[in-house]
């Protein structure tokens, strides 16, 4: 079971995205403290806000919003 998800935002921005937010990768931690790097859950799609990105992560991983942390 997933206990924490850390979302790392992408550092580079595509020209055509004009200020949108992208996910670089996720680190998923289970209840035993094991961390797994996940780069396969989200594509290069841009989100209008960090909230929309978090909503997507919550829906895909079926975790509580409080379990999702965002690192810049």
């Amino acid at each position: 079971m997933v206990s924490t998800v850390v979302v790392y935002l992408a550092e580079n921005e595509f020209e055509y995205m004009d200020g949108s937010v992208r996910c670089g990768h996720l680190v998923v931690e289970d209840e035993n403290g094991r961390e797994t790097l996940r780069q396969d859950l989200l594509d290069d799609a841009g989100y209008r806000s960090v909230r929309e990105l978090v909503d997507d992560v919550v829906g895909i991983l079926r975790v509580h919003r409080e379990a999702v942390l965002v690192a810049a």
Side-chain angles (χ1 to χ4, degrees):
M1 184 155 114
V2 174
S3 65
T4 307
V5 179
V6 180
V7 177
Y8 290 89
L9 301 178
E11 294 179 13
N12 55 347
E13 184 179 309
F14 299 129
E15 282 182 31
Y16 63 87
M17 296 190 97
D18 192 31
S20 53
V21 178
R22 289 186 315 114
C23 177
H25 64 278
L26 306 171
V27 175
V28 179
E29 183 177 336
D30 67 15
E31 69 253 358
N32 297 321
R34 287 189 300 254
E35 293 182 344
T36 305
L37 175 67
R38 299 294 305 263
Q39 294 178 305
D40 59 332
L41 292 178
L42 300 172
D43 58 14
D44 276 340
Y47 294 89
R48 288 181 284 185
S49 67
V50 171
R51 182 180 179 97
E52 283 186 9
L53 189 150
V54 170
D55 287 344
D56 221 7
V57 170
V58 166
I60 291 169
L61 294 176
R62 301 202 182 277
V63 295
H64 293 284
R65 179 176 299 284
E66 296 80 27
V68 180
L69 307 171
V70 179

